[in-house]
Amino acid sequence: MSTKGMSLFEKRRRRNRTALRARGSGRPRLSVHRSGKHIYAQVIDDAEGRTIASASTLEQALRGTSGANIAAASEVGKRVAEKAKEAGVTKVVFDRGGFLFHGRVKALAQAAREAGLEF
């Protein structure tokens, strides 16, 4: 497939997703999306096409805080890991999308690891 006309973000996202398929071996994926104001995380089972667990700064418990900082991203990482463990998922592959593993994305990943998810 041609990458002509694609943004750098889209190319990075595709490259990352291809590597995940090779490494994934049937594990659910922890997908992260960040915007200017919020951060979202989902544990997705691609084989069944369903979301197992999700968390974001839009949740009622996190509504009062800013969603655009590292502290909020850490809290989202903890929450998504707890929900995934309740659903029986302990091992995932980390899908950072096209976002660099830095700042809020890294904070979310570290918090999820500390809360018990393996990736």
Side-chain angles (χ1 to χ4, degrees), residues 18-94:
T18 302
L20 287 177
R21 281 193 206 108
R23 257 184 286 135
S25 67
R27 287 184 181 184
R29 108 186 120 89
L30 173 58
S31 178
V32 175
H33 176 75
R34 68 175 175 80
S35 69
K37 292 185 177 181
H38 298 284
I39 190 157
Y40 313 84
Q42 295 179 319
V43 177
I44 304 167
D45 184 357
D46 289 319
E48 294 182 22
R50 69 183 184 95
T51 300
I52 298 168
S54 66
S56 76
T57 53
L58 291 174
E59 290 180 355
Q60 200 67 24
L62 297 175
R63 248 333 166 65
T65 62
S66 171
N69 59 27
I70 290 176
S74 295
E75 189 60 35
V76 170
K78 285 182 212 169
R79 287 180 171 277
V80 76
E82 290 168 0
K83 289 179 181 181
K85 285 173 59 178
E86 287 174 11
V89 175
T90 57
K91 293 184 178 185
V92 296
V93 250
F94 189 72

